């Protein structure tokens, strides 16, 4: 039986943190069981926002892929590759750009928002406008049925489907598959300060966070503000620390609720216990990652092999597309 195809990508713009693990990586890992998965380093997409300091992309790519591997992305089962090394992405991007009306891109909510928000990065560029068309190429080259993404990416998925339909109607041939979003119904993990976990807020726990800074970060977290003294009962639902237990150590969730609402343990003690749960989860991965990074060639070997596999699929699809257009 042919497995359905999944494609997803991450932009190598910074270290991966617990938010990435909860929101994407943990999901990728379980999807490998059932699907034929393609996991892509979206380095061209990264360049669109990081072009003023492009040299970081290479190292961040290796660092991110090392995380993928230690947390369980399996290169024997899934195809791991860099977008920039499979040239077909850019060729199809050109083709899709030709058939994508400008209005679809200028009206894309992510475009309007990002240009407003990321003023300091100056992404009001020609390439950035085409972001969703490149993303559509990433997806349809592999005829992906499903694309696991967060809600923020839904407009891009919708555009990808529209571009696929436009191609079929123009050239009277269904070369591409209309991709469906696979909305990750995972609980979200807030940042240490309760806002969205993000590099720019510096409120994250990196997947390879060292013990000392991890301790500072966790013990510095805010708890229920109504609980001033240990003997005051707390409200777990209002406590960010509690929401971390849910993700990191759900077995303790009930106990922690009881410690808090019945004022059995103080917040400092509660955070110390959370700290040790996080350490238990992250420390072995961090050590494994150190080992892997001692020989970066191993990572490049994995990427090269993935890229050869990806290229086979991508070039076959590109050929079909060109044939449908009678370009070849
Ligand atoms: N735009 C995605 C993000 O920022 C990254 C990405 C690029 C992607 N190409 C993709 C995700 C293809 C899914 C499928 O998260």
């Amino acid at each position: 039986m042919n497995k359905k195809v999944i494609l997803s990508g991450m932009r190598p713009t910074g270290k991966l943190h617990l938010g990435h693990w909860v929101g994407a990586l943990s999901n990728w890992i379980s999807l490998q069981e059932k699907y034929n998965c393609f996991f892509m380093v979206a380095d061209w997409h990264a360049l669109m926002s990081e072009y003023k300091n492009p040299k970081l992309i290479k190292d961040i790519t290796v660092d991110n892929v090392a995380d993928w591997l230690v947390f369980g992305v399996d290169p024997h089962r899934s195809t791991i590759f860099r977008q920039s090394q499979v040239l077909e992405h850019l060729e199809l991007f050109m083709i899709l750009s030709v058939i994508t009306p400008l209005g679809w891109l200028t009206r894309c909510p992510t475009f309007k928002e990002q240009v407003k928000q990321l003023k300091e990065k100056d992404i009001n560029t020609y390439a950035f406008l085409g972001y969703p068309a490149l993303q559509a190429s990433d997806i349809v080259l592999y005829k992906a049925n499903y694309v696991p993404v967060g809600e923020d990416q839904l407009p891009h998925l919708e555009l990808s489907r529209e571009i696929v339909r436009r191609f079929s109607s123009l050239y009277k041939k269904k070369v591409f598959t209309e991709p469906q979003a696979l909305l990750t119904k995972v609980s979200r993990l807030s940042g240490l300060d309760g806002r969205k976990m993000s590099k720019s807020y510096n409120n994250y726990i990196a997947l390879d966070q060292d013990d000392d800074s991890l301790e500072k970060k966790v013990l510095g977290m805010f708890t229920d503000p109504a609980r001033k003294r240990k003997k005051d009962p707390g409200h777990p639902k209002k406590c960010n620390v509690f929401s971390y237990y849910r993700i990191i150590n759900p077995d303790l969730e009930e106990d922690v609720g009881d410690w808090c609402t019945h004022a059995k343990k103080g917040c400092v003690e509660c955070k110390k216990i959370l700290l040790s749960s996080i350490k238990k989860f992250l420390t072995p991965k961090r050590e494994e990652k150190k080992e892997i990074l001692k020989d970066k060639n191993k990572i490049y070997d994995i990427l090269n092999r993935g890229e050869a596999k990806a290229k086979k699929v991508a070039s076959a699809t590109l050929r079909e597309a060109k044939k449908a257009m009678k370009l070849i």
Side-chain angles (χ1 to χ4, degrees):
M1 195 195 66
N2 263 348
K3 286 183 175 170
K4 297 241 184 206
V5 177
I6 293 251
L7 179 130
S8 197
M10 279 190 211
R11 289 175 309 124
T13 55
K15 277 202 161 290
L16 298 188
H17 52 59
L18 271 179
H20 294 112
W21 183 77
V22 173
L25 198 50
S26 61
N27 192 35
W28 286 14
I29 287 150
S30 50
L31 290 167
Q32 300 180 107
E33 304 276 333
K34 251 180 69 193
Y35 298 99
N36 178 16
C37 293
F38 291 84
F39 296 125
M40 182 188 79
V41 178
D43 46 3
W44 285 129
H45 280 113
L47 189 61
M48 291 179 189
S49 59
E50 309 305 310
Y51 63 89
K52 288 186 178 161
N53 206 359
K55 64 170 195 270
L56 296 180
I57 294 178
K58 197 170 151 211
D59 289 342
I60 296 175
T61 294
V62 171
D63 189 89
N64 286 179
V65 171
D67 283 332
W68 296 4
L69 296 170
V70 299
F71 280 84
V73 175
D74 176 359
H76 299 290
R77 278 195 294 186
S78 304
T79 306
I80 307 176
F81 68 102
R82 288 165 293 183
Q83 180 187 40
S84 64
Q85 300 306 302
V86 182
L87 300 185
E88 284 76 2
H89 288 250
L90 292 187
E91 224 179 315
L92 187 63
F93 174 44
M94 180 68 215
I95 291 177
L96 299 186
S97 299
V98 165
I99 67 166
T100 303
L102 199 51
W104 292 6
L105 298 171
T106 52
R107 278 196 299 271
C108 186
T110 51
F111 175 71
K112 289 196 285 193
E113 218 166 275
Q114 300 237 7
V115 170
K116 231 189 291 158
Q117 269 186 5
L118 295 176
K119 276 257 157 50
E120 77 279 10
K121 291 236 156 121
D122 232 345
I123 46 174
N124 209 346
T125 60
Y126 167 54
F128 188 69
L129 180 65
Y131 188 114
L134 179 59
Q135 185 163 349
S137 312
D138 302 337
I139 297 167
V140 304
L141 270 178
Y142 303 94
K143 305 194 181 194
N145 304 94
Y146 301 109
V147 183
V149 284
E151 265 181 46
D152 61 316
Q153 295 292 311
L154 288 181
H156 295 163
L157 260 286
E158 193 49 48
L159 254 168
S160 300
R161 280 197 295 276
E162 267 166 333
I163 296 172
V164 167
R165 289 197 288 268
R166 182 151 164 86
F167 186 96
S168 312
S169 88
L170 281 170
Y171 309 116
K172 309 284 176 271
K173 202 148 178 104
K174 281 203 155 85
V175 173
F176 304 119
T177 305
E178 275 189 43
Q180 304 292 321
L182 204 64
L183 260 192
T184 12
K185 250 249 78 25
V186 282
S187 24
R188 222 189 271 185
L189 189 68
S190 314
L192 296 163
D193 57 1
R195 293 186 290 176
K196 182 181 156 89
M197 191 180 280
S198 151
K199 182 178 58 163
S200 36
Y201 295 151
N202 194 20
N203 64 354
Y204 63 90
I205 294 175
L207 291 181
D208 63 358
Q209 194 78 49
D210 67 79
D211 282 344
D212 285 349
S213 56
L214 180 66
E215 181 165 333
K216 274 201 203 93
K217 288 188 167 196
V218 175
L219 298 185
M221 284 173 79
F222 291 117
T223 50
D224 174 10
R227 198 173 177 211
K228 292 203 177 61
R229 280 160 303 227
K230 187 178 159 186
K231 65 177 177 19
D232 300 330
H235 308 82
K237 286 212 175 81
K238 290 188 192 154
C239 179
N240 199 19
V241 171
F242 185 69
S243 71
Y244 273 62
Y245 271 107
R246 284 214 161 129
I247 305 278
I248 303 292
N249 195 348
D251 289 348
L252 271 187
E253 193 179 333
E254 212 173 297
D255 289 346
V256 178
D258 177 54
W259 302 338
C260 182
T261 46
H262 298 106
K264 289 183 182 163
K265 282 193 203 299
C267 295
V268 174
E269 191 178 355
C270 185
K271 287 194 275 191
K272 281 189 177 156
I273 297 168
L274 175 66
L275 174 66
S276 74
S277 298
I278 298 179
K279 277 188 182 166
K280 212 164 142 194
F281 176 48
L282 293 185
T283 306
K285 308 286 186 202
R286 192 182 62 217
E287 295 309 312
E288 250 183 86
K289 181 176 179 183
K290 260 194 213 143
E291 259 329 286
I292 291 194
L293 287 178
K294 277 187 188 151
D295 184 5
K296 295 199 172 112
N297 285 329
K298 284 214 184 90
I299 294 190
Y300 284 114
D301 282 348
I302 288 171
L303 287 170
N304 291 334
R305 260 179 275 141
E307 282 144 17
K309 267 182 11 193
K311 193 177 168 69
K312 271 199 190 136
V313 181
S315 61
T317 309
L318 182 64
R319 237 186 115 67
E320 271 183 70
K322 287 184 178 171
K323 277 200 170 146
M325 297 169 81
K326 310 251 185 323
L327 291 174
I328 52 171

